[in-house]
Each structure stands twice: as structure tokens, then as C-alpha cells.
Amino acid sequence: MATEIPISTLFDLKGHVALVTGGGRGIGEAICLRLAQAGAAVAVVDMDETTAQRTAGRIADLGGKAIALQCNVAEPAADRKAVATVVGRLGGLDILVNNAGIFPFSPVTDTAPELWDRVLSVNLGGSFFLAQEAAKAMMNSGKGGSIINIASVDAFRPTGNLAHYDASKGGLVMLTRSLALELGPKKIRVNAIAPGSIDTPGAQAAMGAGASSGAKLEELLKGFLARIPLGRMGTPDDIACAALFLASPAAAYVTGTTLVVDGGYLVG
Ligand code: NDP
């Protein structure tokens, strides 16, 4: 029957364990809080242990369960260790959110191989190796799970001076489809979210740096806003609500898709 799952349990994540990368601030922090609010135990993973602990503390203050882990997602060995630690301490892994990402503005002719490697290894490599480890844990449990990759509207429309980033996010959208194909038979759903312009500490810093390296901050912001039919920047919670949907039983038949959450930017 269509209404077999009551509304009250449609977004219920009690008994689930989630690992969220870049959970110390911005979009990742908001995702951690929403998943915890829905009842999941959350492993807050971040390069910066202090901010990871701050998010975990917020979850504990709200009555939820969380642990904080320091990890550079660009290192496959660290990814393996993070997943093993989460499985060991929280008893499994049901939801992986690959959110950690960097977006340093750099014109294509100035982009050094080191910057290319760093952006690709954090944004794309980290997501691949964490998904690989998470998939093994989800297969071992026999329960399957949900993997959510935070991509970007830049996978579909370039902002400018971000060719390295755009390549990583375009790759992440296709990685999502490839993993969905391969892992679907194991009951693992894999989806992506493509956020538009979201007001976070990272976005503010990147735009500030972009402005000082040629592009003008105000012009960048005005350019974005003019193209957003809903007329505002997004909030981290706008993305967290989409992640909650994709992680939840409400999205039980959704896999291989990229959910664009951009206030209409891509149609504007
Ligand atoms: P923020 O920079 O505000 O937060 C990112 C978090 O990820 C920080 O806590 C950062 O830690 C952490 N992090 C960075 N690198 C690593 C790493 N190698 N290993 C572990 N943690 C790391 O970013 P946003 O919240 O704005 O962005 C989150 C995601 O959303 C990114 O993937 C981004 O590309 C994507 N996105 C964001 C948009 C936006 O407008 N904000 C638009 C489209 C996509 P530290 O503080 O130590 O650097």
C-alpha cells in the first residue's frame, strides 16, 4: 500500500550510523545536525579536529550521539582507518556523506600541478576511497546503505577560474552514477547533491581570495544573485534537508541521481 510507511517514520534514522566528512563547519556541519536530529549516530569527520569536536558537542547538547574524528580524506589510508574506527565505535555504517571539498580559485594558466592534484585528491579521490571502504562495511552488514556525494552546480555550469574544481565535481557526478550501477545490487544507494551558491565560511573565504586574484568579490556575488530565480543565496540547511531526504526511507527508490539544490540557478 502506498502509505505503508507512516509519515512519522519516513525520515526516521534511528538505529543508523552516519559518517559525514567536512562536518566541522558549513554544509557538513548542517548535514551532521539534521542527520542527528533524525536519530542517526553521527561520526563527524574533518581535517580540523577542533571543529569536528565542536559539531559533535552540538549534537550531544541536543541529546544526540556523535563522535569526532580527525582525517584528511585525500589519504586513502586515513579513509580506511576512519571507516574502521566508525564501524568499531558506533557498530556499523549505514550512511556516508562525502562533503569535504576545497575550491581555491585559480585561472587555468596559473594552476600548478600541485594544486590540480590537491583539489582532485580531496574532492574526487577522497570520495572514491571513502565510498569504497563504506561499501565494504555496508556489504558486510548485509543491510546496504546510502552514499551521498556533495557535488556542485559547477559540474554543469562553470563559474570561472575553477577548471580544476569543475573537473573534480563533474567527475563526482559520474562517479555517483558508476557506483550506483555497481552497488545497487548490494542494496547501496548512491546519489549526489549539486548545491548552488551556499553561504558558508569556505565560500566566503574562497570568494574573498578569488576577488584578490582578479575577479571582484561584489561582481561575483551580484552575478550569482542575478541568476538565482529564488533571489537569495542558499543556507547550509537547504543542503542538509536534501541530504536528509536522500539518506532516509523516503528516498528508498532513488539512486544514481544528482539532486540540484540551487534556488533555480541552473535554469536562470
Ligand atoms: P567549508 O570550507 O565551509 O567547509 C568544508 C569543511 O571540510 C571544513 O571544515 C574543512 O576543514 C573540511 N575539509 C577540507 N579539506 C578536507 C580534507 N582534505 N579532509 C577532511 N576535511 C576537509 O565548505 P562548504 O561547506 O562551503 O562546502 C562543503 C562542500 O560543498 C564542498 O564539497 C564544496 O565543494 C561543496 N559546495 C559548496 C558550495 C558553496 O557555495 N558553499 C557550492 C557547491 C558545492 P578545514 O577547516 O580544516 O579546511
Side-chain angles (χ1 to χ4, degrees):
M1 185 173 155
T3 52
E4 204 171 298
I5 305 178
I7 289 285
S8 57
T9 58
L10 214 45
F11 297 101
D12 189 353
L13 297 180
K14 274 194 227 62
H16 289 69
V17 174
L19 187 168
V20 182
T21 66
R25 70 181 198 193
I27 292 171
E29 179 187 13
I31 293 172
C32 288
L33 292 170
R34 276 289 173 200
L35 297 183
Q37 188 186 32
V42 179
V44 185
V45 172
D46 205 285
M47 187 96 152
D48 184 339
E49 193 167 11
T50 311
T51 59
Q53 277 165 352
R54 187 183 60 196
T55 302
R58 283 188 182 150
I59 290 172
D61 290 345
L62 294 167
K65 183 170 180 182
I67 61 171
L69 294 179
Q70 196 281 335
C71 167
N72 177 0
V73 300
E75 295 171 5
D79 297 334
R80 267 196 301 280
K81 191 172 162 204
V83 171
T85 304
V86 172
V87 171
R89 288 180 59 185
L90 296 177
L93 181 59
D94 308 287
I95 300 160
L96 167 68
V97 184
N98 282 316
N99 163 77
I102 52 175
F103 30 92
F105 281 77
S106 172
V108 65
T109 46
D110 294 351
T111 301
E114 293 74 22
L115 182 61
W116 168 268
D117 285 346
R118 190 156 64 87
V119 169
L120 269 289
S121 64
V122 174
N123 297 1
L124 191 53
S127 301
F128 178 84
F129 291 110
L130 274 162
Q132 186 180 60
E133 289 308 308
K136 289 183 209 164
M138 290 169 183
M139 282 155 66
N140 282 343
S141 77
K143 288 192 295 173
S146 170
I147 297 174
I148 300 165
N149 297 319
I150 305 301
S152 169
V153 287
D154 269 55
F156 306 108
R157 177 194 281 166
T159 296
N161 293 332
L162 278 173
H164 45 320
Y165 176 78
D166 298 349
S168 75
K169 294 298 186 175
L172 194 52
V173 167
M174 184 46 86
L175 177 65
T176 300
R177 291 162 58 87
S178 301
L179 295 180
L181 180 70
E182 206 172 319
L183 299 176
K186 310 291 181 192
K187 295 190 285 182
I188 300 170
R189 296 183 299 104
V190 188
N191 293 290
I193 297 171
S197 212
I198 310 298
D199 191 8
T200 66
Q204 283 174 14
M207 283 199 188
S212 63
S213 71
K216 298 228 168 27
L217 178 58
E218 267 184 33
E219 276 172 27
L220 267 173
L221 278 171
K222 249 170 75 181
F224 273 126
L225 279 176
R227 295 180 89 146
I228 301 173
L230 290 185
R232 66 167 175 88
M233 299 268 288
T235 66
D237 193 49
D238 287 325
I239 307 306
C241 290
L244 171 60
F245 164 67
L246 290 174
S248 75
Y253 199 53
V254 182
T255 196
T257 199
T258 296
L259 179 54
V260 176
V261 183
D262 68 346
Y265 170 74
L266 285 182
V267 297

